[in-house]
Amino acid sequence: MQISEVMQKDIKFANINDSIRKVAELMRNEDIGSVPVLDGEKAVGFVTDRDIVINCVASGHSLDESISDAMTKNVFFVKEDQTLEEASKLMAEKQISRIVVVDRSEKPVGVVGLQDLTQESEDIAEETLSRIKQ
């Protein structure tokens, strides 16, 4: 099965120049816990609500600073025509629970996470999770 069949397509993005406050408001308003961060049309980071709390709030950063202070800068990608097994392998190898999905021109078009893998194959999701936690 291809990633495009299970990925979350209706995702929100943050811009590299957005403030921490703006991204936190986006997460609250959309009831989401993470967003890819774009610089133009290229994904350059990924930020979770936990990243904002740990990397910014607890460290005393101003909420008006750039989201780049909170985001994880190592972004991993899969192409939308890759298989669930390929995504699972990369997620396990890099010990991550979400991955950005890009089209052939490398424009972000979605996100796939462990829960998406679980909906299609509990075996793949369980194996991936156990490898992430190693």
Side-chain angles (χ1 to χ4, degrees):
M1 179 172 285
Q2 291 186 326
I3 293 300
S4 61
E5 297 175 67
V6 299
M7 71 181 187
Q8 301 167 36
K9 296 174 186 167
D10 185 28
I11 58 171
K12 303 298 178 190
F13 297 97
N15 182 287
I16 190 74
N17 298 318
D18 287 344
S19 68
I20 296 165
R21 180 185 321 278
K22 183 174 180 178
V23 176
E25 288 171 350
L26 171 69
M27 289 178 173
R28 179 197 62 207
N29 294 341
E30 297 294 329
D31 193 25
I32 54 178
S34 62
V35 293
V37 179
L38 303 182
D39 186 358
E41 290 191 353
K42 180 178 167 96
V44 294
F46 207 93
V47 66
T48 66
D49 47 7
R50 184 177 190 278
D51 292 331
I52 291 173
V53 171
I54 301 298
N55 298 334
C56 298
V57 176
S59 299
H61 286 269
S62 165
L63 297 181
D64 296 320
E65 291 179 34
S66 168
I67 196 61
S68 64
D69 293 330
M71 71 182 195
T72 300
K73 293 174 177 72
N74 293 332
V75 182
F76 299 99
F77 306 92
V78 290
K79 294 208 167 134
E80 60 188 339
D81 60 357
Q82 285 184 268
T83 66
L84 289 180
E85 290 80 10
E86 290 171 308
S88 171
K89 182 179 176 183
L90 181 61
M91 291 166 76
E93 181 182 301
K94 301 300 182 183
Q95 297 188 315
I96 54 176
S97 58
R98 291 173 208 85
I99 195 162
V100 176
V101 181
V102 296
D103 63 15
R104 290 179 188 225
S105 66
E106 299 196 1
K107 178 182 175 186
V109 294
V111 171
V112 67
L114 280 176
Q115 68 186 32
D116 302 311
L117 297 180
T118 302
Q119 292 174 5
E120 295 306 316
S121 172
E122 278 194 38
D123 291 339
I124 290 174
E126 286 176 17
E127 180 181 337
T128 304
L129 182 59
S130 71
R131 290 176 62 197
I132 288 172
K133 290 189 172 196
Q134 287 180 350

